[in-house]
Amino acid sequence: MEHEILMASGTDVDFMIHGLFSYELFGQTFWITTSHVCILIVMLILIGFALVVNRRMKRATKVPGTLQNIAELIVEKLDGMVHATMGKRGRGFANYIGTVFMFILVSNISGILGLRPPTADFGTTLPLGLITFFLIHITQFRYQRPKEIWEGMCSPLPAWLPIWLPINVISEIAVPISLSLRLFANVLSGTVIMALVYALLAKIAYGWPAVLHVYFDLFSGAIQTYVFCMLTMTYISNAMGDEA
Amino acid sequence: MENITGTDLILACSAIGAGLAVIAGIGPGIGQGIAAGHAAAAVGRNPGAKGDITSTMLLGQAVAETTGLYGLLVALLLLFVKPLVP
């Protein structure tokens, strides 16, 4: 292996994504990169946690033990967050929001394990933004009639005068781009700064970069996770229209 | 000056452009400061709503931060992806 998976393993400034090996498919060259490996590690962490919790919850007790307590706390908090933002109609979305929340949170925090956070790769965040984008519009078509959607797209002007339509279409297309770029750029900026600290201050970078990790990985990562999920929920509940 | 190639010139100008691009950070700085100030005033008026105010403030600040991050992205692209170098 030419490059190490772990960051801060070299002495030069290095925060790029590295290809580990490539393969040919339909005449295109595809690369398996460090991002894939880090996503795999994040997934293994989450799947392992889920399996352990699942085994524990099969013999759940009335007075919860430590692990049961943690699992119930996570589920309760996520359900409460979805319910507080989307109301009663948002119950079905708690699965998606919870999954995305845990994936992004563990991805962002994985910088503390020395991994390059998978969310610092635009190839990871753009799919997340696109899923949200399609979810918004599928929800819109499920909850609103086509006439209402057309009126919403021509919004400030009356429906028979669609001058404002292109601008509204652009603002709809901007949603996944801005969602994914926000997450990507935030995590990337933290990664870049940590790489600079480790590479350029290599002689004195002992111990104290932990403080920077707390800010850039824990605080910033948690905030961005919250913001991504919050915005997703807001967009979806907007797409649902007024409460019938 | 004779042995400066075109690529060198483009790299130097890219570095200057990257520096100019991160000036975009001024805007979010001011905006986040205003949001934090108003949140502090709101907590002063109504200390009971501290949790709601804090989460609303953080959400708004994170959204306001986006424009600054676009500037940062442009700077990083200019410095490390080098799109202008032929």
Side-chain angles (χ1 to χ4, degrees), chain A residues 7-15 111 188-217, chain B residues 80:
Chain A
M7 292 189 68
S9 52
T11 47
D12 50 340
V13 181
D14 179 24
F15 52 85
L188 181 72
S189 65
T191 310
V192 169
I193 292 175
M194 291 319 295
L196 289 178
V197 166
Y198 280 127
L200 301 181
L201 302 177
K203 292 211 170 65
I204 55 168
Y206 295 105
W208 60 266
V211 180
L212 297 179
H213 269 301
V214 167
Y215 179 75
F216 287 117
D217 289 334
Chain B
F80 294 103

Side-chain angles (χ1 to χ4, degrees), chain A residues 150-181:
Chain A
W150 176 256
E151 278 170 1
M153 291 301 271
C154 306
S155 146
L157 294 173
W160 48 268
L161 191 66
I163 297 174
W164 217 251
L165 184 67
I167 296 176
N168 279 332
V169 169
I170 289 173
S171 75
E172 290 293 327
I173 294 172
V175 164
I177 297 174
S178 80
L179 263 181
S180 52
L181 271 182

Side-chain angles (χ1 to χ4, degrees), chain A residues 16 178 181-182 186 189 223 227, chain B residues 62 66 69-70 72-73 80:
Chain A
M16 292 296 187
S178 80
L181 271 182
R182 177 179 304 122
N186 260 293
S189 65
I223 295 262
V227 166
Chain B
T66 313
L69 289 170
Y70 290 157
L72 177 77
L73 269 185
F80 294 103

Side-chain angles (χ1 to χ4, degrees), chain B residues 1-83:
Chain B
M1 292 294 276
E2 292 85 48
N3 40 21
I4 293 179
T5 61
T7 311
D8 289 342
L9 190 64
I10 290 174
L11 284 178
C13 292
S14 295
I16 295 173
L20 290 176
V22 286
I23 294 177
I26 292 176
I30 295 172
Q32 289 183 335
I34 291 174
H38 283 286
V43 173
R45 271 200 301 278
N46 185 4
K50 188 160 183 280
D52 282 346
I53 291 170
T54 311
S55 62
T56 311
M57 180 195 78
L58 285 176
L59 187 67
Q61 286 186 329
V63 174
E65 203 177 5
T66 313
T67 49
L69 289 170
Y70 290 157
L72 177 77
L73 269 185
V74 170
L76 287 176
L77 286 176
L78 281 175
L79 282 181
F80 294 103
V81 185
K82 305 186 185 82

Side-chain angles (χ1 to χ4, degrees), chain A:
Chain A
M1 201 183 298
E2 200 178 336
H3 295 285
E4 304 290 328
I5 300 282
L6 292 180
M7 292 189 68
S9 52
T11 47
D12 50 340
V13 181
D14 179 24
F15 52 85
M16 292 296 187
I17 305 158
H18 297 297
L20 296 176
F21 60 86
S22 63
Y23 59 95
E24 297 273 335
L25 195 67
F26 307 123
Q28 298 270 346
T29 311
F30 291 91
W31 282 89
I32 295 292
T33 62
T34 47
S35 291
H36 291 99
V37 180
C38 293
I39 287 182
L40 206 62
I41 294 172
V42 168
M43 276 165 57
L44 285 179
I45 292 173
L46 283 174
I47 291 172
F49 179 72
L51 286 178
V52 170
V53 166
N54 187 26
R55 284 188 54 161
R56 182 70 188 79
M57 291 306 268
K58 278 194 178 134
R59 20 186 204 91
T61 47
K62 194 158 189 188
V63 179
T66 315
L67 192 60
Q68 191 184 342
N69 230 336
I70 294 172
E72 284 179 358
L73 184 77
I74 293 173
V75 173
E76 245 167 49
K77 287 284 175 198
L78 287 173
D79 275 355
M81 191 175 81
V82 175
H83 190 265
T85 322
M86 300 178 72
K88 216 190 288 173
R89 290 182 298 174
R91 277 191 64 193
F93 291 98
N95 296 328
Y96 171 66
I97 302 291
T99 312
V100 164
F101 191 94
M102 285 195 279
F103 173 69
I104 299 178
L105 187 66
V106 177
S107 299
N108 289 353
I109 286 179
S110 70
I112 235 168
L113 306 176
L115 299 176
R116 188 181 190 285
T119 34
D121 182 348
F122 194 52
T124 313
T125 58
L126 183 64
L128 290 172
L130 284 178
I131 294 170
T132 295
F133 176 72
F134 285 112
L135 206 54
I136 291 168
H137 287 282
I138 290 170
T139 316
Q140 200 172 22
F141 274 101
R142 273 181 58 195
Y143 279 85
Q144 297 184 23
R145 278 170 289 138
K147 188 163 166 282
E148 287 174 329
I149 297 175
W150 176 256
E151 278 170 1
M153 291 301 271
C154 306
S155 146
L157 294 173
W160 48 268
L161 191 66
I163 297 174
W164 217 251
L165 184 67
I167 296 176
N168 279 332
V169 169
I170 289 173
S171 75
E172 290 293 327
I173 294 172
V175 164
I177 297 174
S178 80
L179 263 181
S180 52
L181 271 182
R182 177 179 304 122
L183 182 60
F184 163 67
N186 260 293
V187 182
L188 181 72
S189 65
T191 310
V192 169
I193 292 175
M194 291 319 295
L196 289 178
V197 166
Y198 280 127
L200 301 181
L201 302 177
K203 292 211 170 65
I204 55 168
Y206 295 105
W208 60 266
V211 180
L212 297 179
H213 269 301
V214 167
Y215 179 75
F216 287 117
D217 289 334
L218 285 181
F219 179 72
S220 188
I223 295 262
Q224 287 311 314
T225 313
Y226 178 71
V227 166
F228 189 94
C229 293
M230 215 59 188
L231 287 176
T232 301
M233 287 188 288
T234 317
Y235 284 130
I236 291 176
S237 52
N238 274 346
M240 281 196 235
D242 299 326
E243 193 112 25

